[in-house]
Amino acid sequence: MAELQAAAPATPRRSKFALGDFLREYGVLIIIVILMIGLTFLSPSFLTSRNLLNILNQSAPLALIAAALTLVIISGGFDLSTGAIFGVASVSAAWLAVNVDPTLGMIAGPLLGLLLGLVNGLIITGFNVHSFLATLASSMVYRGIAVLITGGALIPVRMEEFAWLGRGRVGMVNIAVLILLVFTVAMMVLLNRTTFGRRVIAVGGNEEAAILSGVRTKLVRIACFGLTGFAAGLAGIIAVSRISMGQPQAGVGMELEAIAAVILGGTSIYGGAGAVWRSIAGVLLLALIGNGFNILNVNPFFKDLTTGVIIVAAVALSAGKKRR
């Protein structure tokens, strides 16, 4: 009898945890739906196909980075160099397009991003440096390379052979959005349907256990950083193609936006759990907040305030799960 009485309080405790899990899983979608309903009532120009497609198109570069960055964070790492890789890949692609060949420039951007991402992974695993510090340092180096390539100047790229990637459409949908769709599906399959994806989750969940199970954890981490570098390079050439301009300062602050989107999507900052589709939803949530405040002409301070409060709530949910 005493045991039954002691077990009685367990029911509301499980319900509380179940609510927390539900919010971590679907909270970003709930906020998106509430935000869309509110903006639809507040502005007749919000729920139009043109505005919604524009939001998707503008968000595509950031979403590409967030999709790949999800794997890095699930594996227990951080990447603060994605904005710098975005910048150096974009100016390199622009320089090659202008001085050599437009097609070569478009190919070189993602490949250079892949190379720089692999360098990050090799530094982190080879020297056993925390990814936060390693990518913070490498971001400074990469940003310096971008300035060296351009001499601090802008590189105009006004070529039809280069512009189609950022401005071209299939029907009403921008090519950049279609690329994002394909890349997102590829990342989801890689994470959820392959041995590599299971190893990524295992490394982030318990690296020691993964090593004892025979997982080559260093290779897994290197591959994750390589994928994120590739995504940043791909995002860079899309941005250059869209604005017809290579800029050494392009992508400044983008790494923090990408991390915020991944955390908003419920991926654990401690590694071991997360989903690519939720990171994309996190990007869309940030984009909807920005779009909503713009069309309502609200003071930008409140946009930053709202975004910050939502991110803090997402981090608190993630920390709550870790404490359990």
Side-chain angles (χ1 to χ4, degrees), residues 17 20-21 24 263-264 266-271 273 310-324:
F17 289 158
D21 291 339
R24 270 185 290 274
I263 293 173
L264 279 175
T267 295
S268 172
I269 56 176
Y270 303 102
I310 293 174
I311 291 173
V312 168
V315 171
L317 276 173
S318 179
K321 184 175 183 179
K322 178 70 176 177
R323 283 193 296 271
R324 285 158 49 196

Side-chain angles (χ1 to χ4, degrees), residues 166-235:
R167 300 183 182 182
R169 295 185 177 186
V170 177
M172 292 181 63
V173 182
N174 291 81
I175 291 175
V177 175
L178 297 176
I179 292 173
L180 171 62
L181 180 63
V182 172
F183 188 79
T184 300
V185 172
M187 289 296 102
M188 290 174 66
V189 170
L190 186 64
L191 180 63
N192 301 317
R193 302 291 182 187
T194 67
T195 302
F196 174 77
R198 288 191 288 275
R199 289 175 176 172
V200 169
I201 296 171
V203 170
N206 190 327
E207 185 172 7
E208 187 176 347
I211 292 172
L212 293 173
S213 301
V215 176
R216 302 177 72 178
T217 57
K218 289 185 178 181
L219 287 180
V220 171
R221 287 186 186 278
I222 292 170
C224 288
F225 280 96
L227 281 172
T228 304
F230 177 85
L234 182 59

Side-chain angles (χ1 to χ4, degrees), residues 82-108:
T82 52
I85 293 176
F86 177 95
V88 73
S90 62
V91 296
S92 300
W95 189 91
L96 286 170
V98 171
N99 295 287
V100 184
D101 181 76
T103 304
L104 179 62
M106 297 180 77
I107 295 173

Side-chain angles (χ1 to χ4, degrees), residues 129-167:
V129 182
H130 194 284
S131 57
F132 186 94
L133 297 175
T135 55
L136 178 63
S138 65
S139 70
M140 297 177 186
V141 176
Y142 297 160
R143 188 65 70 185
I145 293 173
V147 174
L148 282 176
I149 292 171
T150 63
L154 305 178
I155 303 178
V157 192
R158 299 187 180 91
M159 303 171 177
E160 287 298 323
E161 305 96 309
F162 202 87
W164 65 269
L165 184 64
R167 300 183 182 182

Side-chain angles (χ1 to χ4, degrees), residues 24-114:
R24 270 185 290 274
E25 191 78 16
Y26 301 108
V28 64
L29 289 183
I30 294 171
I31 297 174
I32 286 176
V33 171
I34 293 172
L35 198 57
M36 290 187 71
I37 292 173
L39 290 173
T40 301
F41 280 105
L42 291 172
S43 172
S45 62
F46 171 72
L47 200 62
T48 61
S49 57
R50 181 178 180 181
N51 186 50
L52 296 179
L53 286 172
N54 187 50
I55 291 173
L56 282 174
N57 186 40
Q58 294 296 324
S59 306
L62 180 62
L64 282 168
I65 296 175
L69 184 64
T70 305
L71 272 66
V72 169
I73 295 182
I74 289 176
S75 71
F78 267 95
D79 193 341
L80 294 177
S81 68
T82 52
I85 293 176
F86 177 95
V88 73
S90 62
V91 296
S92 300
W95 189 91
L96 286 170
V98 171
N99 295 287
V100 184
D101 181 76
T103 304
L104 179 62
M106 297 180 77
I107 295 173
L111 292 181
L112 179 60
L114 172 64

